[in-house]
């Protein structure tokens, strides 16, 4: 057992308690007790227990990022200042098509190291069309909680080399789901991932829904209404907008996790609400690709689930959830006023709302008894942090003036994966130098 005694616990429980002088007792991978420190310490005296006294640190739930592309991490800085369709056609599709097994593994390791070091403990990740089995292997090795799925693409007019037949895409997705859905003791699950409408035939999309039914707890993960040129092409093909077309095909439901949703019309907002589909909001990516600003305050008012993700490294170029929380809040303020999307709301989008997006809210997303111990210790005593000690402004302190460098330790599934600013099992410099080497080889294959 482990007993953690921090300065504050930001619980994100239904009452949103922030606890002082409290500790949590972890048994295996579950949170067994949350009580006053003196009470729990006295109780634990007679147990075999690891006492973690951290009176200067804050304990928060592990962050959930619901839209990531680990396969793109090594392309950071190689696809800047482009709009979505050019970014895909001239950079990302050729890069992805050049991946070998070794470069895919290196890219995934690089991304996971960055995510964990920054306090992210759960991700929803979209792969490329090949080598997803290596993504699953690395997710298992790093101890990450994750949904992953290979990108499904049976059309690619802008880069025909990166696509498969409809049959092959469905077959390989199903095989991966059979092998990896609910693997690592249920920590790793499958998310079927038709890339976006322009890369999928109607037949592929419809069949994917059938597959989703065969794998209980799996998700449907896609992109939609990110960019005006994408929307124009969708309208030319379907005479409808993305979300309307998804509704027509029966793709819209509470397991539909849809990245971006920037350019939705009134009808589509109504459909998202009615079907309880999830919006995966990626503020950095939306700004960097010049895509637009999603009307998140409106979606929240409609009680549509919204969560956050860094998207891929080449359209961000960080995978830092603190950056996403801060930007999610700040970009709304010039439009909706300074009270829009406050720090507490941004923190909720990155924790409990992310858990809800993935249907994991009974297991993760908050610090409560019987939930899984996915936890982060953060240090708010850095030079760039507030000087006062008020617990009332803890959300502001975390969202507006922290970044990954404030993360001290990270626990996933009751195990420390990053402790005292060091990886327990991995060597960051080795991961980086290996990725540098693999990138050189990959670029020579294009
Ligand atoms: Zn994406």
């Amino acid at each position: 057992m482990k007993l953690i005694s921090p300065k504050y616990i930001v619980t994100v429980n239904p009452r949103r308690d922030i606890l002082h002088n409290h500790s949590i007792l972890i048994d295996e991978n579950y949170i067994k007790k949350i009580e006053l420190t003196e009470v729990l310490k006295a109780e634990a005296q007679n147990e075999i227990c690891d006492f973690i006294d951290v009176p200067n640190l804050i304990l928060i739930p592990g962050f959930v990022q619901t839209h990531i592309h680990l396969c793109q991490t090594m392309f950071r800085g190689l696809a800047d200042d482009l709009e979505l369709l050019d970014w895909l056609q001239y950079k990302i599709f050729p890069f992805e098509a050049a991946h070998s097994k070794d470069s895919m593994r290196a890219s995934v390791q690089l991304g996971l190291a960055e995510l964990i070091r920054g306090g992210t403990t759960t991700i929803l990740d979209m792969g490329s069309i090949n080598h997803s089995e290596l993504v699953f292997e690395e997710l298992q090795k790093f101890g990450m909680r994750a949904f992953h799925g290979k990108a499904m693409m049976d059309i690619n007019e802008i880069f025909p080399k990166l696509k498969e037949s409809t049959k092959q895409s469905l077959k390989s997705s199903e095989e991966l789901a059979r092998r990896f859905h609910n693997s690592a003791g249920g920590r790793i699950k499958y998310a079927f991932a038709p890339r976006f409408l322009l890369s999928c035939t109607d037949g592929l999309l419809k069949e994917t829904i059938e597959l989703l039914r065969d794998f209980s707890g799996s998700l449907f993960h896609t992109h939609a209404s990110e960019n005006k040129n994408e929307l124009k092409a969708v309208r030319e093909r379907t005479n409808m907008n993305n979300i309307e077309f998804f509704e027509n095909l029966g793709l819209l439901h509470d397991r539909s996790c849809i990245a971006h949703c920037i350019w939705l019309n009134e009808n589509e907002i109504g459909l998202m609400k009615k079907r309880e589909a999830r919006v995966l909001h990626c503020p950095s990516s939306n700004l960097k690709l010049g895509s637009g600003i999603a009307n998140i305050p409106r979606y929240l008012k409609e009680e549509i689930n919204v969560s956050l993700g860094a998207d891929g490294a080449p359209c961000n170029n960080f995978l830092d959830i603190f950056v996403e929380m801060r930007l999610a809040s700040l970009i709304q303020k010039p439009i909706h006023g300074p009270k829009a999307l406050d720090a507490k709301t941004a923190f909720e989008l990155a924790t409990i709302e992310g858990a809800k997006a993935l249907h994991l809210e009974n297991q993760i997303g908050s610090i409560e008894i019987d939930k899984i111990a996915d936890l982060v210790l953060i240090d708010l005593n850095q030079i760039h942090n507030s000087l006062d000690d008020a617990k009332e402004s803890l959300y502001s302190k975390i969202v507006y003036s922290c970044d990954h460098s404030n993360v001290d330790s990270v626990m996933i599934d009751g195990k420390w994966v990053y402790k005292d600013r060091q990886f327990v099992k991995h060597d960051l410099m080795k991961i980086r130098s290996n990725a540098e080497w693999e990138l050189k080889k990959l670029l020579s294959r294009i």
Side-chain angles (χ1 to χ4, degrees):
M1 288 201 283
K2 296 183 187 75
L3 186 78
I4 308 180
S5 308
K7 182 176 191 176
Y8 291 116
I9 303 173
V10 182
T11 64
V12 202
N13 66 12
R15 289 203 311 262
R16 300 296 188 259
D17 291 324
I18 294 176
L19 305 172
H20 185 44
N21 289 331
H22 279 64
S23 294
I24 74 166
L25 186 70
I26 297 157
D27 189 2
E28 300 285 332
N29 59 344
Y30 280 88
I31 298 169
K32 192 175 178 189
K33 290 184 180 175
I34 307 171
E35 283 179 38
L36 280 169
T37 296
E38 56 185 34
V39 174
L40 267 192
K41 276 199 171 169
E43 276 182 31
Q45 276 319 328
N46 301 323
E47 310 268 1
I48 299 167
C49 188
D50 187 8
F51 290 89
I52 300 126
D53 282 314
V54 280
N56 291 318
L57 303 181
I58 316 293
L59 188 69
I60 62 173
F63 289 112
V64 181
Q65 292 209 50
T66 54
H67 189 62
I68 296 286
H69 298 262
L70 291 169
C71 67
Q72 296 173 6
T73 317
M74 62 160 52
F75 313 138
R76 184 193 326 255
L78 299 179
D80 295 331
D81 309 324
L82 293 166
E83 69 102 40
L84 175 70
L85 297 179
D86 291 342
W87 180 83
L88 289 170
Q89 179 175 3
Y90 301 115
K91 301 289 180 178
I92 301 306
F93 285 166
F95 289 155
E96 283 190 19
H99 256 316
S100 67
K101 284 184 187 329
D102 288 341
S103 64
M104 176 63 84
R105 193 186 288 285
S107 186
V108 171
Q109 289 178 343
L110 202 61
L112 286 174
E114 184 184 1
L115 287 164
I116 290 172
R117 186 192 60 167
T120 294
T121 55
T122 298
I123 56 169
L124 169 54
D125 182 65
M126 184 182 290
S128 188
I129 63 175
N130 294 315
H131 312 311
S132 264
E133 66 285 0
L134 297 171
V135 183
F136 282 112
E137 277 179 32
E138 291 303 319
L139 289 167
Q140 289 172 348
K141 282 189 202 158
F142 270 78
M144 186 62 119
R145 188 174 308 286
F147 283 81
H148 171 80
K150 65 169 273 171
M152 303 171 82
M153 306 171 74
D154 65 344
I155 312 175
N156 194 341
E157 283 172 4
I158 55 178
F159 192 76
K161 211 173 144 190
L162 191 73
K163 68 169 180 179
E164 296 174 297
S165 69
T166 311
K167 204 175 148 198
Q168 181 57 29
S169 182
L170 290 163
K171 185 171 166 265
S172 53
S173 296
E174 184 176 0
E175 280 170 7
L176 285 166
R178 263 188 218 299
R179 224 171 123 192
F180 295 105
H181 184 52
N182 283 326
S183 62
R187 205 184 71 233
I188 291 169
K189 296 181 192 290
Y190 202 81
F192 293 93
R195 190 162 197 144
F196 67 149
L197 220 161
L198 298 180
S199 71
C200 302
T201 58
D202 298 3
L204 181 75
L205 291 166
K206 278 191 217 160
E207 291 283 332
T208 303
I209 283 296
E210 295 303 317
L211 278 180
L212 199 70
R213 291 199 185 101
D214 293 343
F215 293 91
S216 169
S218 66
L219 298 173
F220 180 89
H221 181 200
T222 193
H223 301 91
S225 296
E226 176 174 2
N227 169 287
K228 282 187 173 167
N229 290 327
E230 166 225 342
L231 187 58
K232 193 165 155 252
V234 166
R235 291 193 65 86
E236 277 163 14
R237 172 171 143 195
T238 67
N239 276 324
M240 281 180 249
N241 287 5
N242 278 285
I243 303 299
E244 293 166 329
F245 188 70
F246 286 166
E247 167 72 1
N248 253 29
L249 284 186
L251 298 177
L252 216 55
H253 48 77
D254 68 354
R255 293 199 170 263
S256 307
C257 295
I258 305 175
H260 308 309
C261 296
I262 298 170
W263 303 106
L264 304 191
N265 63 27
E266 279 302 308
N267 182 39
E268 290 179 295
I269 295 172
L271 289 170
M272 292 292 290
K273 179 182 164 80
K274 183 174 155 199
R275 299 295 184 199
E276 298 180 46
R278 275 55 169 154
V279 172
L280 319 178
H281 178 43
C282 307
S284 295
S285 164
N286 296 164
L287 291 176
K288 183 158 181 281
L289 295 170
S291 301
I293 297 176
N295 191 348
I296 301 301
R298 171 75 197 284
Y299 300 164
L300 294 176
K301 202 169 154 212
E302 298 288 344
E303 297 184 346
I304 296 169
N305 172 266
V306 178
S307 52
L308 298 179
D311 208 345
C315 62
N316 189 310
N317 296 358
F318 285 115
L319 302 178
D320 184 334
I321 188 66
F322 293 94
V323 172
E324 300 312 308
M325 288 194 291
R326 177 181 152 87
L327 270 184
S329 176
L330 298 193
I331 60 175
Q332 300 300 337
K333 296 183 188 296
I335 307 166
H336 301 280
K339 289 191 180 358
L341 226 155
D342 61 16
K344 178 165 166 276
T345 306
F347 190 77
E348 289 167 352
L349 300 192
T351 52
I352 191 67
E353 296 303 316
K356 283 182 196 163
L358 309 176
H359 294 258
L360 296 179
E361 70 273 22
N362 293 326
Q363 297 175 43
I364 58 163
S366 61
I367 300 179
E368 296 178 74
I369 290 168
D370 288 337
K371 280 207 171 182
I372 296 172
D374 284 5
L375 304 166
V376 174
L377 282 166
I378 54 172
D379 172 8
L380 296 183
N381 306 304
Q382 308 279 317
I383 196 77
H384 57 271
N385 296 126
S386 312
L387 301 175
D388 72 283
D389 204 21
K391 80 169 185 179
E392 293 70 28
S393 56
L394 262 178
Y395 293 115
S396 151
K397 291 179 170 79
I398 296 167
V399 169
Y400 293 143
S401 61
C402 277
D403 63 19
H404 65 271
S405 71
N406 291 90
V407 172
D408 180 271
S409 298
V410 179
M411 175 184 282
I412 306 177
D413 218 27
K415 294 186 189 75
W416 294 113
V417 284
Y418 183 75
K419 184 84 171 45
D420 304 325
R421 297 175 186 274
Q422 298 287 331
F423 275 88
V424 174
K425 284 189 193 162
H426 294 94
D427 179 339
L428 275 192
M429 285 304 111
K430 252 191 198 162
I431 288 173
R432 187 179 157 99
S433 59
N434 178 47
E436 279 175 22
W437 169 239
E438 286 302 332
L439 177 64
K440 271 198 193 104
K441 289 199 287 182
L442 182 144
L443 293 175
S444 74
R445 291 193 290 268
I446 292 175

